[in-house]
Amino acid sequence: MNRKKERTVLIWMCVLIAVNQLGFGAIIPVLPLYAESFGVSQTAIGMTVAVYGLARLVVALPSGRIADRLGRRSTLAIGGLISGAGNLWCAYASSYDELVVARFVAGAGAGLTLTAGTIVLADITSIERRGRVMAIYQGVFLFAVGIGPFPGGYLAETFTLSTPFLAYSLASFIAATVGWWAVPETRPVFIDDPKSLIRLTYLTALRSILMSRGFLLAGAISFTGALVRTGGLFSIVPLVGTRQLSLSATEIGFAMAIGSVLGVMITYPAGMMVDLLGRKTVIVPATIATGIAFLLYSFAPDYLWFLAACAIWGIASAASGSAPAAYAADIAPREHAATAMSAYRTLSDAGYVIGPILLGVIADEFGMTSALITASAMLIAVALVFAAKAPETYRAS
């Protein structure tokens, strides 16, 4: 793909993901409080996050097939519409059980959108530029998620705890419109050619990808990152702020937004490092630094420490955000990008499901501090394993 088309697709995908993830970020500081308003335990609060990830897990692999058969644009549009409907339902849920079902619907739509977006990036990038292109997209993604809690917290305090869900619904519908009308189709033309000599069957391609040690280790990094992000950052950190530090939703949202701004500043330089110095050079230290951020969250005595933890989290997660995806995309041939990236998203979304439940149980049994320390230990451990066992996929000469 020429640079002009690559740039056009990237710009519109950044617009789409910015709008979509701004809405997602808006509910981060209020989801635990909203679930708690139904009078449920910490484990049940974690379930409202986990069920969203379960839906994403269920649709991740099928999303790759849908993207190959219907096209990337159609998959983006369908995902946005389903996500918008699910979040609208969340806003008007009358019981905890209804909220859980609505979160599943919203998660299914998000799974289609996020998987299709990753596939589009794999379509348009060459191995020499993949790190920086994905870094730009990931930087916009993380900035929107990080800045979203600030307006989300404000909306919740000014109106009701359900208002951010209405904002997320609107953002999803706008993203669906952008996906259908503005994003050019990137599906390779040979996907529809049954006589192509290089086309493997779907199951053969999937089996080949999953037999790669490097792919599985990149998936382990993504799995652990999703586990601690949803189980720790989304489910427990806001409660640490409110219960242990007596912070308001606006203060928590502001701290997360600060981390997001700092993360955006490091994203593109990190993407350049991914392309020039190698994928592992960025993945390993950034993952360890993310683990250190959770240690700061667990022992934060005041708002200043909480801000510092958010800053380190924002910088480290932004630096490592695009590198594992670039690593995974390196392994599969371009004609099987959809298969590879949907499998990668499946591994990541498995962490999304397990994290809130696992860390929620630990928080209920041993306290929130123990849960965050566990999250930190998992990140550092998987980074060390990746450093020792994963082969490097690309480093500029």
Side-chain angles (χ1 to χ4, degrees):
M1 177 175 292
N2 62 58
R3 292 284 181 86
K4 182 177 180 181
K5 185 174 181 182
E6 176 191 287
R7 186 164 53 249
T8 300
V9 174
L10 178 61
I11 288 171
W12 282 114
M13 283 303 303
C14 286
V15 171
L16 183 152
I17 207 64
V19 173
N20 182 268
Q21 293 304 299
L22 184 65
F24 176 79
I27 70 170
I28 290 175
V30 300
L31 177 59
L33 305 177
Y34 188 48
E36 191 178 42
S37 70
F38 291 98
V40 296
S41 68
Q42 178 64 49
T43 302
I45 292 172
M47 182 64 70
T48 62
V49 179
V51 74
Y52 187 90
L54 176 62
R56 285 173 41 170
L57 176 63
V58 168
V59 305
L61 277 178
S63 296
R65 299 293 286 160
I66 293 170
D68 274 349
R69 292 182 178 276
L70 301 183
R72 296 8 178 180
R73 292 171 58 241
S74 297
T75 310
L76 289 169
I78 293 169
L81 292 175
I82 295 174
S83 179
N87 283 292
L88 188 63
W89 190 2
C90 287
Y92 292 103
S94 58
S95 67
Y96 171 77
D97 291 340
E98 189 177 347
L99 174 64
V100 170
V101 175
R103 285 283 291 168
F104 184 89
V105 174
L112 285 167
T113 299
L114 295 176
T115 303
T118 307
I119 293 168
V120 168
L121 292 183
D123 287 341
I124 67 173
T125 54
S126 62
I127 193 169
E128 297 85 2
R129 291 176 47 79
R130 183 165 290 142
R132 69 200 78 176
V133 171
M134 287 191 168
I136 293 170
Y137 176 84
Q138 187 71 12
V140 173
F141 182 105
L142 292 173
F143 176 76
V145 172
I147 206 74
F150 185 56
Y154 174 79
L155 288 173
E157 287 192 346
T158 304
F159 300 100
T160 66
L161 288 174
S162 65
T163 305
F165 290 92
L166 294 175
Y168 189 12
S169 177
L170 177 61
S172 296
F173 289 134
I174 294 173
T177 303
V178 173
W180 178 252
W181 292 106
V183 177
E185 183 57 67
T186 63
R187 180 177 55 168
V189 294
F190 48 75
I191 287 294
D192 292 324
D193 179 11
K195 297 180 181 180
S196 173
L197 297 177
I198 61 173
R199 185 183 181 191
L200 301 173
T201 65
Y202 171 73
L203 291 178
T204 302
L206 180 61
R207 184 164 54 249
S208 176
I209 291 166
L210 292 179
M211 288 178 65
S212 166
R213 181 178 65 183
F215 183 87
L216 291 177
L217 288 172
I221 289 284
S222 183
F223 168 85
T224 307
L227 186 153
V228 302
R229 183 169 60 253
T230 57
L233 189 72
F234 295 171
S235 298
I236 296 176
V237 168
L239 295 178
V240 168
T242 55
R243 293 179 183 176
Q244 296 183 188
L245 301 178
S246 301
L247 303 178
S248 67
T250 301
E251 288 174 321
I252 295 171
F254 177 76
M256 290 183 173
I258 290 295
S260 178
V261 171
L262 293 174
V264 168
M265 295 172 64
I266 197 65
T267 298
Y268 190 75
M272 291 289 292
M273 290 175 64
V274 168
D275 285 340
L276 297 177
L277 303 180
R279 315 315 195 197
K280 290 178 64 175
T281 305
V282 175
I283 291 173
V284 173
T287 303
I288 291 174
T290 306
I292 292 172
F294 274 100
L295 285 179
L296 289 178
Y297 279 127
S298 63
F299 294 110
D302 52 38
Y303 189 45
L304 184 61
W305 275 66
F306 190 85
L307 282 169
C310 287
I312 294 175
W313 163 269
I315 293 171
S317 61
S320 65
S322 64
Y327 188 103
D330 291 344
I331 292 171
R334 183 170 176 267
E335 63 269 19
H336 298 299
T339 302
M341 301 320 291
S342 61
Y344 174 78
R345 291 298 317 178
T346 299
L347 294 172
S348 176
D349 289 338
Y352 203 121
V353 177
I354 295 171
I357 298 174
L358 174 63
L359 295 184
V361 170
I362 294 174
D364 281 339
E365 295 295 325
F366 304 103
M368 292 186 289
T369 297
S370 296
L372 294 180
I373 292 173
T374 301
S376 175
M378 293 179 69
L379 283 166
I380 295 172
V382 75
L384 294 177
V385 172
F386 188 87
K389 299 295 185 179
E392 182 60 83
T393 57
Y394 177 76
R395 180 184 291 114
S397 300

